Structure formats: structure tokens, C-alpha cells
Amino acid sequence: MDYRRTYIKGLFALPAGTATVAYGWVKTRRDSKGISFVQINDGSCFKDLQVIVNEGTIDAETLKKITTGACVRFDGVIVDSPAAGQAVEMQASGVELFGPADPLSYPLQKKGATMEFLREIAHLRARGNTFGAVYRVRNEAAWAVHKFFQDRGFLYLNTPIITASDAEGAGAMFQVTTAVETAHGEYKLRTNEAAQDFFGKPAFLTVSGQLEAETVALGMTNVYTFGPTFRAENSSTSRHLAEFWMVEPEMAFCDIEGNMNLAEEFLREVIGHLLTKSEEDLAFFNQRIEPQLLATLKHVVDSSFERMGYGEAIKMLEQSGETFEFPVHWGVDLQSEHERWLTEVKVGRPVILTDYPKEIKAFYMRQNDDGKTVRAMDVLAPRIGEIIGGSQREERLDVLESRIQELGLPMEAYWWYLDLRRFGSAPHSGFGLGFERLLMYCTGMKNIRDVIPFHRTPGHAEF
Ligand code: 4AD
Ligand code: MG
């Protein structure tokens, strides 16, 4: 046995008459008039391979155990298929049963299982149609992300997962410590002195690789990260994870205009890539999950995003005549209901909002001359709300220092970040794309927990 063999995806391309083998997991078995029809899938494509087993070809005891969930290898010949929806099928001549799956206890037995139920058996859901498709699209999108940046000469960079700095200044961080001992489920305090902790000071899981990415961009020009980020926000919404993946490009000699152009080009290209490379999976999502999906994605690829200032957006929301749960006025942070109204009702496609009040944005964003707003840019998408958050960065040492002071952030902790402004500073910009939010957008899946193989949310760290 070797990985170098033909996946089921490849078997469909073989000419009738070819003898071959097929490995996979049984989706269903149906018996009719001395013939068993077994659908198997190995995850390589959406479509199952239909295997025809004539009575007497394989031992009856083994055939009985070829039920939903069982793992098998069939030997046989590719033949033209009389069935609709498939050009070829396999005529079996032999079988090896690797692992049976007792029909009475196999959890993935039922058709029409809810997403909530499937989430509880996330260790088995890769075998179903929906999650097979989600994981393939996730893989294809990750590839498209790298391709986009590599084609443009960006340097792929890995930033630390454990860090001492709070990049967003929002304090929603998980602490990393060896100051508590755990044994047999009991916690014991080893020390409460930060200096005696593993790193000699408080350390956390990163909320963003941006600050470190800036250090390399200001030396190597265009870089990007693509890695896990962690946020201890206690929000159990359908759009928040405690562990999610972020794509963060950072560019020297780039202002907010260039930043917006890149974000737009990036989303359009990744979505365009999926429309061609994940056609079969997207067709499934369009049919079963989100009826407007393909039309929406095609529309995004073909049209430019609407760009408007935060102030203008607030005026529109105020004049919308809608009653929002969270009232709107200049200065408020936009809630998902506002973002959705703007993108879905008002504009009907993604919107890039700029120039937010500085009070609701991070300390590192470049201040505008009005003294009130910063060069922030958020990309909002219909159904999802914020999908990208970014900005032009404050490159002026004195302005940045006074902002850190104003916010009461610990100046000494940012010594290296300030050094970048002390030595060879340059105008620069970047953004962060929430990879799972992008996947929600591209698959139509309604809950962010269902576009990552194993979700981390408040109260949930199973598997
Ligand atoms: O807007 P955010 O907080 O921006 C940053 O972290 C910047 N440092 C990025 C940068 O400029 N390099 O987060 C960026 C994106 C959001 O737009 C959203 O898509 C996603 O990350 N995101 C989350 N996704 C899932 N679960 C969460 N809890 C998320 N928080 C943010
Ligand atoms: Mg944001």
C-alpha cells in the first residue's frame, strides 16, 4: 500500500475497461435483485464512486459488513455507467474490508443530521458531503492565498504564537504560563511572581502577527503572515472563534489607498480561484446551503467594492429609517446589524469603510489631520460583516508616542516597535483577513464553527 495510487477523483477519468483499485469509506449500500450498489468516497472529490457488486462476487459475510462508514478497498474494472449523473462506475471483482462500522452505533448513520449534531462528532464529520466540501474549499483557499502573494513577490513570514505584546491593545488575550502546575486535573500555583514564570514576564497567545510583520516589512518591503491567532473574547456568536487563522500582509511604501486596492484585488482573486478550482463543491453549497452563493461570488469578482468614509456610513444608517438594536451616532463602533444593513440593503456588495474615530480603533493607526479620525479600513461583506480589518500605520514617532501615552499603554513594552519609527521609518500599511470569515462567505456556511475542523469557543475545547 502506498499513497501513490489513483484517488477516486482520478478514477472518474479512466477509460472503460481499465482494471484498478479504489480505497474509501462507504457512504451507502443499496441491494436490488442480486446486485449491491456501494457508494464510496475518499475525500478527493465531491462525487462518490459507485461500485457494482454482483451476487457471489464477494463473500456474503463480508458484503453484509459493507455498511455506511465502513472502510474498504475494492478491486475491479472501470465500466461505463448507465446511471444518470456519472459517466463511469466500478464493477467489483474483490474486496478487502479494513474496518467495519456497526450500523447500530455508527453516529454518522442518519441522513439530515443537524450542523449542531455534526459539531459534536467533529472527529467523524469529514466523511459527510458537507464537511468534505468545506475542508476541500478551505484547502483550495489556503493555496490561493499563498499563490496570490507569491505571484506578487511578497515574503511569507511566520510570526510568533507566544508573545509578550498585546498587538490590538484590547486585552483579550490568553495567558501562557508554567506558573500553575496541573496534575490529575488539579491546579496548583507554583509561583505568583511573573519574574519566575517561564518567560520571566507575562506571556500570551498572539492576537495578531501585525507588529512583528511590520518589523520585517520595514526591511524587506512586502511580507505576509498566515497563521493561527487567539482571542479570549467571551462572545459566543456565529462569527467569533477563540482560535482562528489570519492572513496579514504588511507593505512598506504603501498608503491606505494602496492597501484598499490590495485587499480588493486579493478577495477578488481568491474568490475567482475558488470559482474555477472548487466548482463542484461550490455547486453543492449553492444547492444545499445558500441559494444565492454562486451569483454573489460571481458578482464580487466582476464588480468593484464600494468605498466610503465612516462618517458617511453613519449618516446613511441614521437616515435609514431602520430601528437598530444598537442606536447609531458618530463615534459608535459598528455592530453586525449595521454592517449588514450597509452591505446587504444599501449597497448590495462588499463595502470598504475608512477613517474611523480613533477612540474605537487600535493605537497604531495613522492619525488624520482632523485629530479625530484614523486611517483605518474595514472590508465589510454581505452576510458576514467585517471580513478584513486594516490601516495605514502611524509612522511618526512623536505622534505614536503620544497616542500610546494617551491610551495609558505601557510605553516600555513597545520599545522595539517604536525603534522602527526611530530608525528608517517609512509610510506603511497592512490588513488582516479572518480566514474563517472568508470561508463562511465563500461556502455560505452560517456558523463559523463549521468552517474550521475543530472549533475553539467559550466552553468548548473538545478533540
Ligand atoms: O480587525 P482585526 O482585529 O485586525 C487586526 O488584528 C489587525 N492587527 C490586522 C492587521 O492590520 N494586520 O482582525 C482582523 C480580522 C477581522 O476583520 C476578522 O475577519 C477576523 O480577523 N477576526 C476574527 N475571526 C474569527 N473570530 C474572531 N474572534 C475574530 N476576530 C477578528
Ligand atoms: Mg477589526
Side-chain angles (χ1 to χ4, degrees), residues 146-293:
H146 283 293
K147 183 166 187 319
F148 176 85
F149 289 115
Q150 293 295 327
D151 282 351
R152 286 160 181 76
F154 281 60
L155 183 92
Y156 174 48
L157 178 71
N158 302 120
T159 48
I161 289 170
I162 300 174
T163 175
S165 53
D166 183 355
E168 292 301 297
M173 303 181 87
F174 288 103
Q175 191 161 357
V176 177
T177 181
T178 52
V180 282
E181 244 174 318
T182 56
H184 311 298
E186 283 186 20
Y187 293 87
K188 200 172 103 202
L189 200 61
R190 206 197 302 262
T191 171
N192 51 13
E193 290 292 319
Q196 281 161 29
D197 202 349
F198 191 92
F199 298 103
K201 57 161 136 176
F204 307 89
L205 294 179
T206 186
V207 294
S208 158
Q210 177 196 323
L211 305 194
E212 291 89 351
E214 280 185 57
T215 70
V216 183
L218 293 177
M220 300 183 79
T221 309
N222 290 337
V223 304
Y224 72 104
T225 72
F226 186 0
T229 38
F230 307 86
R231 298 205 181 171
E233 303 157 309
N234 204 0
S235 46
S236 273
T237 77
S238 59
R239 314 181 309 144
H240 288 87
L241 290 168
E243 176 180 303
F244 63 99
W245 286 65
M246 219 202 286
V247 179
E248 295 184 275
E250 192 67 35
M251 294 130 332
F253 321 116
C254 181
D255 61 10
I256 192 170
E257 287 295 321
N259 204 19
M260 286 193 280
N261 293 342
L262 183 85
E264 214 177 306
E265 209 179 311
F266 171 59
L267 286 175
R268 272 212 295 271
E269 185 164 309
V270 171
I271 292 170
H273 178 98
L274 294 180
L275 283 170
T276 48
K277 299 288 168 123
S278 300
E279 208 180 350
E280 220 181 9
D281 290 322
L282 294 190
F284 164 78
F285 290 121
N286 192 67
Q287 196 188 359
R288 298 290 295 277
I289 306 288
E290 170 63 47
Q292 289 305 311
L293 185 73

Side-chain angles (χ1 to χ4, degrees), residues 425-444:
S425 190
H428 63 291
S429 301
F431 63 77
L433 163 89
F435 190 55
E436 285 76 18
R437 299 239 177 122
L438 173 71
L439 291 173
M440 287 176 78
Y441 191 60
C442 294
T443 59

